[in-house]
Amino acid sequence: MAGGSIPSTPLLKDELDIVIPTIRNLDFLEMWRAFFQPYHLIIVQDGDPSRTIKVPEGFDYELYNRNDINRILGPKGSCISFKDSACRCFGFMISKKKYIFTIDDDCFVAKDPSGKEINALEQHIKNLLTPSTPFFFNTLYDPYRDGADFVRGYPFSFREGAPTAVSHGLWLNIPDYDAPTQLVKPLERNTRYVDAVLTIPKGTLFPMCGMNLGFNRELIGPAMYFGLMGDGQPIGRYDDMWAGWCTKVICDHFGLGVKTGLPYIWHSKASNPFVNLKKEYNGIYWQEEIIPFFQNVVIPKECTTVQKCYLELAKQVKSNLTKVDPYFDKLADAMVTWIEAWDELNPAPAINGSTKK
């Protein structure tokens, strides 16, 4: 796609919402106007609800602040984090569209090596609309892209692929590092553009970043809960990680695919590593227990919907991770509340649309 241009009929125009968490005016949307303007935006305002967030003219959007969240969810609003970008998951819940793209307000349009502007949203849509290959790795990466195919030795019985539930994009400029890595590499920038999309194999976890992310809400939406983070919680900056670990094990249970790689965005601002260390400290310690938990978790075959899987995960979190810290007891309860709130706002049954292999 040429820089600054949009197709005459944008892909999934009426089937996709763009969710943006923010505490500031959304001037960054001007850079994305050519790509985002045809779509509906859901803006989740964090922080002081009395502050007015300015949105550039010409965008179709709805904006929710903390007062709105409490009004809509009532006591169940306690499951939505405050003073943390984890609040974005309220947008996932309130949406009625099949697909979601979520982006942070410090993410700008990147350029590929030829200098052409990257339409990140279009690439996410392409990733989501083509199958994944979670059961057998293709050494030529995504076989469904133009100019690629399945390599010799790839079983024909797997070539139909699996439905894609998640498209995880990357970033140029400021890499998504944890605080210790930020501290030892303060000037490091990601300048490598790798023209590839890969399916993360079944049984493999990954660190999901929420700043450039697309997913099929009908397939996996109830699992995209970004946890209890931020104000009043002993942990931060693990919201997307938690959602990613929960989502991946549920995708594996249903035989759904998760892709990572293209598209790139330009991450413009490095957050303070000392502030980040304070937020991440517990998470860095706890994840040495959390990761083995998710690697060994077993979801019973009786769990036939994403909601049932997520409630089963909440049960196992409470029984296995509370010994790590009492926080996980509270998190498990919030996971249950999240599903209750999701089902109240989305009474239609979730569509899993796949068969387990």
Side-chain angles (χ1 to χ4, degrees):
M1 170 174 287
S5 67
I6 58 175
S8 55
T9 304
L11 292 169
L12 302 180
K13 176 181 178 295
D14 299 317
E15 298 181 71
L16 181 144
D17 278 333
I18 300 174
V19 175
I20 306 168
T22 193
I23 59 171
R24 57 181 64 88
N25 295 335
L26 294 181
D27 299 330
F28 92 114
L29 285 174
E30 288 293 355
M31 179 175 286
W32 288 100
R33 183 179 290 277
F35 303 134
F36 288 2
Q37 191 165 359
Y39 296 88
H40 179 68
L41 312 182
I42 297 178
I43 300 163
V44 184
Q45 178 181 342
D46 197 15
D48 183 2
S50 67
R51 183 169 182 238
T52 300
I53 298 291
K54 294 181 180 178
V55 181
E57 291 186 5
F59 286 92
D60 172 33
Y61 71 93
E62 51 192 300
L63 186 151
Y64 298 93
N65 60 32
R66 191 72 213 186
N67 292 339
D68 298 315
I69 293 171
N70 291 336
R71 172 178 53 81
I72 294 168
L73 297 184
K76 292 184 176 66
S78 62
C79 72
I80 305 298
S81 298
F82 184 59
K83 295 185 178 178
D84 192 279
S85 64
C87 67
R88 80 176 77 223
C89 63
F90 177 77
F92 308 161
M93 178 188 288
I94 204 74
S95 171
K96 303 303 177 189
K97 303 291 178 62
K98 183 175 181 179
Y99 298 96
I100 294 289
F101 170 57
T102 184
I103 187 171
D104 285 3
D105 60 13
D106 62 350
C107 295
F108 301 158
V109 177
K111 294 182 178 180
D112 68 17
S114 72
K116 184 171 68 174
E117 290 188 335
I118 299 167
N119 184 346
L121 176 54
E122 182 182 55
Q123 181 63 51
H124 276 298
I125 292 171
K126 289 179 178 179
N127 292 347
L128 290 167
L129 292 182
T130 53
S132 295
T133 55
F135 310 114
F136 200 92
F137 188 80
N138 190 53
T139 53
L140 201 55
Y141 311 123
D142 187 350
Y144 305 102
R145 290 187 69 193
D146 291 341
D149 211 322
F150 294 97
V151 298
R152 181 172 57 88
Y154 200 99
F156 281 86
S157 59
F158 286 124
R159 295 191 182 195
E160 183 179 339
T164 300
V166 179
S167 172
H168 178 257
L170 299 175
W171 355 262
L172 294 172
N173 195 36
I174 306 295
D176 187 29
Y177 286 161
D178 54 36
T181 308
Q182 280 184 290
L183 287 167
V184 298
K185 295 183 173 182
L187 301 180
E188 184 157 292
R189 300 293 181 265
N190 182 34
T191 59
R192 295 194 309 150
Y193 179 94
V194 180
D195 186 13
V197 178
L198 297 86
T199 296
I200 300 172
K202 182 179 180 180
T204 300
L205 297 173
F206 76 111
M208 189 176 81
C209 173
M211 73 172 80
N212 175 24
L213 180 71
F215 63 93
N216 185 321
R217 185 176 174 276
E218 289 186 357
L219 285 179
I220 204 65
M224 279 288 181
Y225 176 47
F226 276 47
L228 286 177
M229 303 282 154
D231 191 51
Q233 307 302 333
I235 184 174
R237 284 173 55 84
Y238 271 83
D239 52 333
D240 42 8
M241 301 294 154
W242 183 262
W245 297 328
C246 292
T247 294
K248 185 57 167 65
V249 297
I250 294 175
C251 282
D252 288 351
H253 176 74
F254 286 119
L256 300 171
V258 177
K259 294 180 180 180
T260 188
L262 300 179
Y264 285 90
I265 50 84
W266 180 269
H267 188 206
S268 66
K269 185 178 67 175
S271 49
N272 186 311
F274 296 100
V275 173
N276 289 346
L277 184 59
K278 185 176 180 181
K279 294 178 179 179
E280 294 174 359
Y281 174 78
N282 283 325
I284 292 170
Y285 177 66
W286 292 344
Q287 71 182 14
E288 301 305 320
E289 302 274 355
I290 297 171
I291 298 303
F293 164 75
F294 280 107
Q295 288 174 328
N296 293 288
V297 74
V298 175
I299 299 176
K301 62 182 180 180
E302 292 77 20
C303 294
T304 54
T305 67
V306 174
Q307 286 94 325
K308 289 179 180 178
C309 290
Y310 203 75
L311 291 174
E312 174 64 26
L313 276 181
K315 176 182 173 183
Q316 295 191 34
V317 166
K318 184 179 282 284
S319 61
N320 290 282
L321 292 180
T322 301
K323 66 179 184 294
V324 176
D325 191 271
Y327 162 76
F328 289 98
D329 186 66
K330 183 165 59 172
L331 176 58
D333 291 340
M335 293 168 70
V336 173
T337 302
W338 160 263
I339 293 298
E340 292 172 350
W342 181 283
D343 285 345
E344 284 184 10
L345 293 182
N346 302 276
I351 300 172
N352 290 316
S354 69
T355 56
K356 186 177 178 181
K357 294 188 180 181

